[in-house]
Amino acid sequence: MPALASATSSSALGGLLQWRHASSHSENTNTFLREALVRLDYPDKLQSLLLTPRREMSVELVVQMDDGQIEVFNAYRVQHNNARGPYKGGLRYHPQVDLDDVRSLASLMTWKTAVMDIPYGGAKGGVTVDPRKLSERELEKLTRKLVVAIKEIIGTYEDIPAPDMNTDAKVMAWFFDEYSKYKGFSPGVVTGKPVYLHGSLGREAATGRGTMFAIRELLKAMHMGKLSDQRYVIQGFGNVGAWAAQLLWEAGGKVVAISDVAGAVHNENGLDIGELRRHVASGKPLAAFPGGGSMRKEDILLHPCDVLIPAAIGGVIGPEEAAKLQCKVVVEAANGPTTPEGDAVLRERGITVLPDIYTNGGGVTVSFFEWVQNLQNFKWEEEDVNRKLDRKMTDAFAALWAVHREMGVPLRTAAFVVALQRVTRAEIHRGFD
């Protein structure tokens, strides 16, 4: 009989995570939400309805590993709200995934889809696992086990997962294949699939491209000039950070410093992002890039710039960091990078924060486009996808900027006000019986 080992207590290894403040993600989200709710003067019962998830599922996935051992992984799916459409949210594989983390991110998806005005609700899922320790075969088995465990609460018109931290198009392909074994051909059950397997052109770059559009609109509104006039610092060189850096560089902007989980690199004259991406793709450390000097990754947030883009993990800007930032604008490409305490300091200092529920909305927007293409069984051209994304990001910014000006509230509060109004309108008109 194989030995039994537990993988549920895995902790992050050195270098896997950059620092982050230990706080409840769900409570942080609710803190920002309550600020908007105070402005809207909603009754307590309605507030409770909007804050409480519809369903939370916790399961244990038993997987036989390549060496014959049996390991058990905790997995979660939280469905927060579906008043505006099917639940929608990513699926992450990470050693620090827990129910609180997933609950917070599910809530954020509800407000993100509402801010972007796409017909989805909010959900999130995750497995507590370090995927670097698994072979590809083990990762596939884990994914298929997850599908079997949650297949009755997901579906093309019910709940549509997508890639997130440490999951990609390959994982989504396994997910689609396993689900289709039980429910029939269902390409619309997940988004973020490979382009050649019912995925969408433009999806890989969507969150980074949306971030670039978001910065462009903010610079216009604040009369700060063009994308090419700014100096950028980016924390994180994964999918979002790398694409944001690439597109800002192509637009003429100077990306003066970038970090990843292992190190950081800077060049005050601007990094050559094309060369940097090729350097990293070849397997070399980002910090060893010959086109810049290495620096401590812990110092990345404090590097002088016009636009700071946290594009890694949540909870990295607390009050201490916020007091030391040397930027004019913080653009939250990551989910929840700023704590409520850090946000308060930034407000006191007059540093504008473009919130995550808008900034990184490009990913879920193009996921929606992929889902529509699956329903139509018709693939759009990439230029059509990018043009429609541009329009969505522009319209969404206009809505939150209008509330910001009208109510005199920070952009984060304005975004939540817009989202709450749209979700509340849907809840009320659908009724409660």
Side-chain angles (χ1 to χ4, degrees):
M1 181 176 177
L4 182 66
S6 174
T8 60
S9 60
S10 298
S11 60
L13 299 177
L16 180 62
L17 285 178
Q18 295 180 341
W19 73 98
R20 76 178 190 183
H21 290 265
S23 61
S24 166
H25 283 196
S26 59
E27 188 53 41
N28 287 352
T29 300
N30 287 345
T31 297
F32 293 133
L33 267 171
R34 289 190 183 99
E35 185 175 4
L37 286 165
V38 167
R39 292 283 182 168
L40 293 170
D41 196 26
Y42 281 178
D44 290 342
K45 288 184 179 180
L46 184 55
Q47 291 191 34
S48 179
L49 171 69
L50 294 169
L51 295 176
T52 305
R54 296 290 193 271
R55 177 189 283 144
E56 296 181 351
M57 174 179 274
S58 299
V59 297
E60 293 185 340
L61 309 178
V62 181
V63 179
Q64 184 170 23
M65 311 304 280
D66 293 344
D67 62 2
Q69 286 199 105
I70 301 296
E71 296 204 6
V72 183
F73 301 88
N74 286 345
Y76 311 94
R77 188 70 180 174
V78 175
Q79 297 173 333
H80 180 261
N81 187 285
N82 65 346
R84 300 183 64 256
Y87 298 109
K88 186 78 180 83
L91 176 66
R92 57 177 49 191
Y93 291 171
H94 196 279
Q96 292 192 340
V97 164
D98 58 28
L99 185 57
D100 179 78
D101 198 38
V102 175
R103 185 185 293 125
S104 170
L105 295 169
S107 174
L108 279 174
M109 284 303 299
T110 295
W111 316 121
K112 185 181 299 183
T113 56
V115 166
M116 299 309 301
D117 200 20
I118 54 179
Y120 282 145
K124 206 73 173 186
V127 180
T128 310
V129 59
D130 183 351
R132 300 181 310 167
K133 293 183 175 181
L134 272 59
S135 68
E136 182 170 302
R137 177 61 181 154
E138 290 168 339
L139 196 63
E140 180 179 349
K141 290 170 72 174
L142 177 71
T143 301
R144 293 183 183 274
K145 286 275 189 174
L146 176 64
V147 176
V148 173
I150 69 173
K151 68 182 186 299
E152 298 307 324
I153 67 165
I154 61 171
T156 303
Y157 296 99
E158 176 69 20
D159 183 353
I160 305 125
D164 200 282
M165 192 178 292
N166 296 322
T167 56
D168 56 14
K170 181 184 293 183
V171 174
M172 294 304 105
W174 294 332
F175 199 108
F176 151 61
D177 178 70
E178 188 68 18
Y179 184 84
S180 294
K181 290 178 182 177
Y182 294 91
K183 304 293 184 177
F185 179 68
S186 306
V189 71
V190 289
T191 57
K193 303 179 294 294
V195 173
Y196 53 82
L197 196 64
H198 312 289
S200 176
L201 296 166
R203 176 62 183 85
E204 182 185 356
T207 308
R209 189 178 300 277
T211 298
M212 184 264 290
F213 290 147
I215 295 170
R216 182 196 66 196
E217 293 306 302
L218 180 64
L219 295 176
K220 286 181 186 176
M222 295 182 65
H223 306 290
M224 285 179 61
K226 301 177 181 178
L227 291 170
S228 57
D229 299 329
Q230 316 302 319
R231 295 163 61 83
Y232 303 91
V233 167
I234 302 175
Q235 181 197 38
F237 203 58
N239 175 272
V240 179
W243 275 108
Q246 176 81 28
L247 294 165
L248 290 167
W249 174 67
E250 290 177 359
K254 284 187 177 180
V255 181
V256 296
I258 293 178
S259 71
D260 64 7
V261 297
V265 63
H266 71 98
N267 185 329
E268 299 313 303
N269 295 318
L271 294 161
D272 185 321
I273 303 302
E275 288 297 325
L276 178 59
R277 294 190 76 179
R278 284 187 283 274
H279 170 86
V280 172
S282 71
K284 300 173 184 175
L286 176 139
F289 179 56
S294 65
M295 59 182 288
R296 288 176 3 114
K297 65 180 182 181
E298 292 82 4
D299 295 333
I300 190 72
L301 295 173
L302 311 183
H303 199 81
C305 62
D306 298 308
V307 180
L308 174 64
I309 308 173
I313 60 173
V316 296
I317 302 178
E320 292 183 7
E321 292 80 12
K324 299 176 184 177
L325 297 188
Q326 301 182 67
C327 61
K328 299 173 184 176
V329 172
V330 174
V331 177
E332 296 183 331
N335 285 315
T338 310
T339 68
E341 296 80 11
D343 196 63
V345 174
L346 293 177
R347 293 181 191 183
E348 290 174 6
R349 296 187 60 200
I351 296 177
T352 298
V353 178
L354 196 59
D356 50 0
I357 64 169
Y358 165 68
T359 302
N360 61 32
V364 70
T365 299
V366 177
S367 281
F368 167 63
F369 296 162
E370 178 180 335
W371 183 68
V372 171
Q373 291 171 74
N374 293 156
L375 298 182
Q376 294 176 335
N377 198 24
F378 182 80
K379 189 179 292 295
W380 301 350
E381 297 293 333
E382 186 168 2
E383 62 183 30
D384 293 332
V385 173
N386 292 340
R387 185 180 67 252
K388 291 176 188 294
L389 173 60
D390 192 349
R391 178 63 182 270
K392 276 291 187 183
M393 295 300 298
T394 301
D395 290 350
F397 181 84
L400 69 90
W401 187 260
V403 171
H404 161 70
R405 295 293 298 272
E406 180 182 340
M407 299 181 69
V409 296
L411 289 172
R412 187 189 308 282
T413 307
F416 278 113
V417 166
V418 170
L420 283 163
Q421 288 175 331
R422 289 173 175 169
V423 174
T424 302
R425 187 182 305 125
E427 290 277 13
I428 291 173
H429 282 82
R430 291 186 67 161
F432 301 101
D433 294 329

